[in-house]
Amino acid sequence: MPLKAVVLLLAVVCVWCVEECACFPNGSVAFSCGNMMPVHPPFSPSTSSPPFTLTTSSSTYTPGGVISVTVEAVQNSSTEFQGFLLQARSREGNALLWPVGKFTNIDTTLFTALHCKNMKNSTVSQASGAKRKKVQLTWEAPSNSNYGDIYFSVSVVQDYTTFWVQLNSSALRLDSSGNSAAGVFSPSALLLITLLSLSANS
Ligand SMILES: *[C@@H]1O[C@H](CO)[C@@H](O)[C@H](O)[C@H]1NC(C)=O
Ligand SMILES: *[C@@H]1O[C@H](CO)[C@@H](O)[C@H](O)[C@H]1NC(C)=O
Ligand SMILES: *[C@@H]1O[C@H](CO)[C@@H](O)[C@H](O)[C@H]1NC(C)=O
Ligand SMILES: *[C@@H]1O[C@H](CO)[C@@H](O)[C@H](O)[C@H]1NC(C)=O
């Protein structure tokens, strides 16, 4: 192939990468942002039951509230994973293929913050191929109520040939009842609990 054609081909591939995937030139796992598919030709996603769980600290969320999200190997399993891609999604309207909200306090020595669909820190993946049994991240909900119920979706790479795509958490119901007092651990709820235990003791 003439040099010009090679350069052109590389340029096309690079543009595609910038738009479509979270590519890591240093050999870490690369994913596509949209379908969350690892770029691992010629292998396709595993259809067996995944040895990983995706859990959240709450089954509801409030606008602007934070949720802790955990991906980990099932109990007592020796399985480890070397790559993942995690984001929140909504089933409302055209948000279906877009991440929702953003991750906060991302430790960049462990994780790579990604800006899928140009949304800053909307998606997180690993920073290296180091094997892990568990990762935990903090997610902040959008400050509006436009997204309805949301869920988290993760793709997990055990190794080059074995990976699971778009494992979904249970849905988190939008709690837009107004102020933060709706949260279980809000100061007023804690005050109420304190008051209740005071009266129980008296
Ligand atoms: C995991 O291992 C512990 C200790 O061996 C055992 O008590 C527990 O039942 C196991 N849990 C599962 C889910 O197998
Ligand atoms: C995104 O995450 C990085 C790494 O933690 C942080 O430095 C940056 O301020 C974040 N940006 C936004 C818009 O949250
Ligand atoms: C791989 O590249 C990503 C993105 O540039 C970087 O954040 C990460 O630290 C690198 N990992 C290693 C092991 O060099
Ligand atoms: C997770 O949800 C997405 C969007 O509805 C769906 O395409 C995907 O198949 C689901 N994943 C699994 C493992 O069922």
Side-chain angles (χ1 to χ4, degrees):
M1 206 166 7
L3 184 61
K4 241 171 129 177
V6 173
V7 170
L8 184 66
L9 182 66
L10 281 178
V12 169
V13 168
C14 283
V15 168
W16 178 80
C17 267
V18 165
E19 290 190 346
E20 296 297 333
C21 57
C23 294
F24 302 120
N26 55 18
S28 293
V29 183
F31 286 93
S32 157
C33 262
N35 60 14
M36 302 180 68
M37 188 77 85
V39 185
H40 282 186
F43 298 97
S44 46
S46 173
T47 51
S48 68
S49 166
F52 307 104
T53 59
L54 172 57
T55 52
T56 58
S57 56
S58 172
S59 58
T60 62
Y61 77 97
T62 53
V66 295
I67 297 284
S68 172
V69 189
T70 307
V71 180
E72 64 185 318
V74 295
Q75 215 188 344
N76 294 356
S77 146
S78 59
T79 311
E80 294 177 308
F81 54 98
Q82 59 181 40
F84 74 97
L85 187 78
L86 173 68
Q87 55 182 229
R89 295 219 173 169
S90 162
R91 294 187 204 277
E92 294 280 294
N94 59 9
L96 188 59
L97 292 175
W98 292 46
V100 174
K102 65 173 186 177
F103 292 89
T104 61
N105 300 323
I106 303 165
D107 179 348
T108 52
T109 62
L110 298 175
F111 306 116
T112 304
L114 300 168
H115 316 303
C116 288
K117 298 283 183 192
N118 270 334
M119 297 165 69
K120 290 275 177 221
N121 299 350
S122 60
T123 306
V124 171
S125 74
Q126 75 289 335
S128 76
K131 290 189 158 63
R132 299 200 182 97
K133 290 182 97 60
K134 175 178 178 173
V135 296
Q136 194 157 49
L137 288 135
T138 305
W139 176 84
E140 185 183 312
S143 53
N144 60 54
S145 302
N146 298 347
Y147 295 94
D149 297 352
I150 60 108
Y151 62 99
F152 290 88
S153 196
V154 70
S155 293
V156 185
V157 172
Q158 186 176 323
D159 55 43
Y160 191 86
T161 62
T162 313
F163 50 90
W164 288 262
V165 170
Q166 286 193 4
L167 307 175
N168 302 320
S169 74
S170 313
L172 279 71
R173 197 167 41 77
L174 170 65
D175 180 351
S176 53
S177 53
N179 55 52
S180 57
V184 175
F185 296 111
S186 69
S188 50
L190 286 179
L191 181 64
L192 182 64
I193 292 167
T194 310
L195 290 174
L196 285 175
S197 45
L198 279 179
S199 56
N201 288 339
S202 56

